[in-house]
Structures are given as C-alpha cells and as structure tokens.
Amino acid sequence: MLAATPVEEPPAAPRPLPTERRGAVVFDHIDFNYRSRPTQKALSDFSLRLEPGETVALVGPSGAGKTTVLQLALAFYRPQSGSITFDGVDTADVLPQDVRKAIAIVPQETVLFADTIRENIRYGRPEADDQAVYAAARAAAADDFIRALPEGYDTELGERGMRLSGGQQQRIAIARAVLKQPTLLLLDEATSALDSESERLVQAALAKLSESCTTLVIAHRLSTVRDADRIIVMEQGRIVAAGTHDELMAADGLYAKLAAVQFRHLENNRADTLEALA
C-alpha cells in the first residue's frame, strides 16, 4: 500500500495556501463521477460558496452526493470539471497534504489509536504541548471524564478506543479537532450514534468549535442542523434548495418532506417508549 502510486498526482509546481486564512471555500460548477461508475455523475453542476465563519449543512436522501462533497474538499479526488478554491487558491494547484492541514474532520465513527488519550488528542497537532492538549479537552467537554479515569490522560485506550463510550470517543475526536485549530471543519454525522445525553454534550462542544472556523456539516437527522446559517438540500448530485430551516419548511419541498418523515418517526418512537413504560 505504501509503495502504491496515488491515482491523483500532486501538482508539478504546487502553490501555497494563504498564510492568513479566512475559510472562504468555493465549489464552482463541479461535475464529478467516480472511476468505478464513469457514466453516473455523483455531482452535477454543483456550485456552493462557504463564507468565512459560516456553518452550512448538507442534507438529502442517501446517494445525493453529500459525502462526495467532503471527499472533494479533502482533495481525495479532483472533479472532472469545475474548481474548488480555498481562500482564492485552486486546491488542484496545492499539495493535498497542505489542503488537509487546514481542515479538521469529526466523522461518524471516531478513529482512535492504541495509545494514550494524551497522544490521541495530540494527533491533531503533534507539536502541541500538554497544556494545549488539556485546553483542547476542556473545550471539547472531555477534561472531566478524562481526569476521572485512574490514569487520566495517560490512560491507554486499546484498539479503536473501545475502553470509552461512544460519546467519550466523539469528545476525544472533537478535542483533536480543537487542537488542530482548523480553518475548515467537516462534520460527518458526528452525533448520529449517540444517546441523548452524550449528543447534548457533543453538540455543545461542536457549537463552540464552529465559532472559530468555517463549518460544513453532513446530517441525516435534521434536528441537529436546525440552527445552521444555511441548509443545502441535495438530490442526485444537485442542489435543489437552500435556506434556513424555517424558510425550507415554508417552501414545502423535499426538505419539508424529509422533516415530516423524521419527526413522525420520532413521535412514533416516543409513543412506543411511553407505552412500554406504562
């Protein structure tokens, strides 16, 4: 694997990203298909501008292209046409590792290593000192539970961090992202597998982190993105609507239909739970 040649070749004469980054990201008329599906467009004429400091959510049915947008932002792939710029610089002209240094991602399934909590957090910025690690953990609402462990920050997590609960794992991932001090934060279903209390803590930590950077969120549970600055509704690789939660609900389009299905499902689950407890 290490000897394999990357499918996407780095630019011959790479450009640097601006020293002072603002977090303006522009997807300009993107057409993209995966090599395994050459005749099926994953994104079609996709254009989206993220303003510095803005929180934008991508919603839509499975297969709409939401994850593809994140993969293009991370320079895993290049579009067949169109461009992606980061603070005015085309990312096709930048080394992929330089693009990723400006980005932090909190995925649905946290990647943790068989090492200490301290080193798992420090992975976000390897040169960071211990005080910076502790500050990041406090910002992620993780410091209290870490210090309550017998070995504190020196606790060995084991493979995949299985010694921690799902909510604790996610708060370690958020602390790692805080430590990185990203210009662009990507959230990929970061709270979908958590219980209510863990979700509350993680959402509060994510809200605090997103105050200092541009944030792009993927969410299937629409309740988690109601407060986003903008919600982008996608279907079959295209943007079909955009606006705030209230605007999209009033428009009575795809977003309203998705919301109605989800909220009806939540009400049914709540009724089933009350009936079981009766």
Side-chain angles (χ1 to χ4, degrees):
M1 184 181 293
L2 292 174
T5 301
V7 174
E8 302 291 355
E9 292 292 336
R15 295 176 59 190
L17 289 174
T19 304
E20 293 189 13
R21 296 173 192 155
R22 299 170 56 245
V25 182
V26 179
F27 298 82
D28 188 24
H29 296 288
I30 299 294
D31 283 321
F32 175 76
N33 57 264
Y34 294 97
R35 287 176 172 81
S36 59
R37 300 189 294 273
T39 61
Q40 181 181 344
K41 285 188 177 181
L43 293 177
S44 182
D45 195 28
F46 179 87
S47 292
L48 175 65
R49 181 180 183 88
L50 308 179
E51 300 294 344
E54 187 179 29
T55 295
V56 174
L58 301 178
V59 304
S62 296
K66 304 182 297 294
T67 299
T68 299
V69 174
L70 264 62
Q71 291 177 334
L72 290 176
L74 286 162
F76 289 154
Y77 303 97
R78 290 182 190 154
Q80 278 76 38
S81 64
S83 65
I84 303 166
T85 59
F86 199 119
D87 284 337
V89 178
D90 193 329
T91 57
D93 298 329
V94 181
L95 291 174
Q97 56 265 41
D98 287 345
V99 174
R100 293 167 197 154
K101 284 177 182 176
I103 299 173
I105 182 168
V106 180
Q108 180 176 357
E109 187 169 338
T110 307
V111 178
L112 296 177
F113 306 105
D115 205 330
T116 64
I117 290 178
R118 186 192 315 275
E119 293 309 315
N120 267 280
I121 295 175
R122 206 193 314 267
Y123 185 72
R125 182 158 53 94
E127 71 278 10
D129 62 22
D130 284 350
Q131 294 306 313
V133 170
Y134 304 151
R138 287 194 295 271
D143 185 70
D144 287 346
F145 88 76
I146 293 172
R147 294 189 184 277
L149 296 170
E151 297 174 79
Y153 282 84
D154 294 317
T155 300
E156 293 279 347
L157 291 184
E159 293 294 332
R160 300 177 63 190
M162 297 304 289
R163 294 181 64 183
L164 300 180
S165 70
Q168 290 171 335
Q169 291 179 22
Q170 285 297 69
R171 280 179 275 167
I172 296 295
I174 295 167
R176 183 188 289 168
V178 170
L179 187 66
K180 192 170 185 179
Q181 299 175 331
T183 307
L184 175 64
L185 174 64
L186 304 179
L187 304 177
D188 187 1
E189 288 289 353
T191 65
S192 63
L194 304 181
D195 59 70
S196 297
E197 178 60 18
S198 294
E199 181 179 18
R200 184 186 66 79
L201 291 168
V202 169
Q203 285 284 18
L206 288 173
K208 188 172 183 179
L209 173 56
S210 64
E211 290 174 358
S212 60
C213 57
T214 304
T215 306
L216 184 60
V217 187
I218 286 180
H220 288 297
R221 286 198 293 179
L222 304 184
S223 59
T224 64
V225 295
R226 294 180 64 156
D227 295 329
D229 296 313
R230 276 188 298 151
I231 299 171
I232 306 300
V233 186
M234 297 183 63
E235 187 175 30
Q236 296 182 345
R238 294 178 179 272
I239 294 175
V240 296
T244 64
H245 170 79
D246 290 341
E247 290 169 347
L248 291 170
M249 289 298 290
D252 198 27
L254 176 59
Y255 181 85
K257 291 181 174 64
L258 292 171
V261 170
Q262 286 197 14
F263 297 148
R264 189 182 311 122
H265 179 68
L266 287 173
E267 286 299 324
N268 290 339
N269 284 347
R270 187 177 296 111
D272 291 342
T273 301
L274 292 173
E275 183 177 347
L277 293 173

